[in-house]
Amino acid sequence: MSEPILSVSDLHVNYGRVQAVRDTSFDVPEGGLVTLVGSNGAGKTSVLAATSGLVRPRSGRITFLGQDVTRWSAHRRVSAGIVLVPEGRQILSTLTIEENLQLGGWRRRQSGARIGQMYDRFPVLAQRRRQLAGTLSGGEQQMLAIGRALVAEPRVLLMDEPSMGLAPKMVDEVFAVIESVRAEGVTVVLVEQNARRALTVADTGHVMETGSIAHSGPANELLEDPRVVKAYLGME
């Protein structure tokens, strides 16, 4: 069996005295789609923040393509191919769509071609490329955030709550994009509160509770696991 493209090993993340993540380990196979699901405050976002380099873990190890990247800066990880689509989108609202996409490619040569590909993928962005990003709808802003990340040519795309606050039709569009990106060979790690939807598209799922992984397995099996259904799927 080939080595995973990304491994998180015995991860612990603290914010001051508050322990957000503890004893968390999982592997991500190249080309796979792995999801972390769970309730608010379970530690999902903190795992992605540590993986992307936005926070320094208290202990543990993050390995990418066989290299220990635990102490790498966030921008070095982006250059290597670990790219985050953050929770809340975090686009630059006073810049245009095109300027936001250009920022996604600041570490890449010939990013103009990648931006052109994003306009092909998201025609609504192409039509409004000179419009200020802050004037877009929530769904359009999410497409821009995904496009900005894809301009950086990720090997592993980390996605934090991409469907948050979106209308059902736009949620469908976001998940269609996630599946198409994965089909193109990009490895995806998806954090989602919409557990049923996330497990439906994923290969493997990890259910987080109070900072650690409580259940793991093939996503289709977790969808049928009575413990997971009762805790996370019963009301959906």
Side-chain angles (χ1 to χ4, degrees):
M1 181 179 293
S2 61
E3 291 293 316
I5 190 172
L6 179 73
S7 292
V8 174
S9 304
D10 196 26
L11 186 69
H12 292 72
V13 176
N14 281 33
Y15 299 103
R17 296 184 179 181
V18 177
Q19 188 176 49
V21 179
R22 55 187 172 82
D23 301 319
T24 293
S25 301
F26 61 93
D27 291 333
V28 182
E30 186 162 14
L33 200 167
V34 173
T35 188
L36 304 177
V37 299
S39 60
N40 278 334
K44 308 182 302 295
T45 290
S46 294
V47 170
L48 290 196
T51 304
S52 64
L54 293 180
V55 302
R56 180 68 59 86
R58 181 170 67 83
S59 61
R61 188 178 189 213
I62 298 163
T63 305
F64 175 63
L65 291 171
Q67 277 191 290
D68 186 343
V69 301
T70 312
R71 295 189 173 276
W72 286 16
S73 64
H75 70 264
R76 186 179 178 188
R77 296 187 208 196
V78 170
S79 295
I82 302 173
V83 182
L84 173 68
V85 180
E87 180 182 4
R89 300 178 278 276
Q90 296 186 25
I91 58 160
L92 296 178
S93 60
T94 59
L95 298 184
T96 66
I97 289 170
E98 181 134 352
E99 288 167 338
N100 272 270
L101 292 175
Q102 288 170 345
L103 286 174
W106 74 282
R107 303 285 291 185
R108 296 286 182 249
R109 295 180 179 178
Q110 299 179 333
S111 61
R114 291 287 293 175
I115 291 173
Q117 291 169 13
M118 293 311 105
Y119 286 146
D120 290 340
R121 185 187 289 274
F122 305 116
V124 66
L125 300 184
Q127 296 163 9
R128 305 180 185 182
R129 65 183 68 191
R130 305 201 187 284
Q131 185 172 323
L132 294 182
T135 64
L136 299 175
S137 70
E140 290 164 348
Q141 289 184 12
Q142 187 62 69
M143 296 304 180
L144 177 57
I146 295 171
R148 180 181 60 188
L150 292 176
V151 169
E153 299 183 76
R155 293 286 300 273
V156 174
L157 185 65
L158 310 175
M159 307 189 75
D160 194 359
E161 302 285 6
S163 73
M164 179 184 292
L166 301 184
K169 180 179 178 181
M170 188 56 67
V171 171
D172 291 342
E173 291 189 28
V174 167
F175 273 91
V177 170
I178 292 170
E179 292 186 83
S180 70
V181 167
R182 185 273 180 88
E184 293 164 8
V186 178
T187 304
V188 178
V189 180
L190 172 65
V191 158
E192 255 295 333
Q193 270 194 282
N194 189 337
R196 185 179 299 279
R197 194 66 181 267
L199 290 169
T200 298
V201 301
D203 305 311
T204 303
H206 303 286
V207 181
M208 294 197 69
E209 294 179 0
T210 59
S212 62
I213 293 175
H215 311 291
S216 294
N220 61 340
E221 293 182 8
L222 290 177
L223 279 168
E224 304 297 330
D225 188 318
R227 300 166 299 176
V228 177
V229 171
K230 181 178 180 181
Y232 301 103
L233 308 180
M235 298 302 293
E236 295 185 13

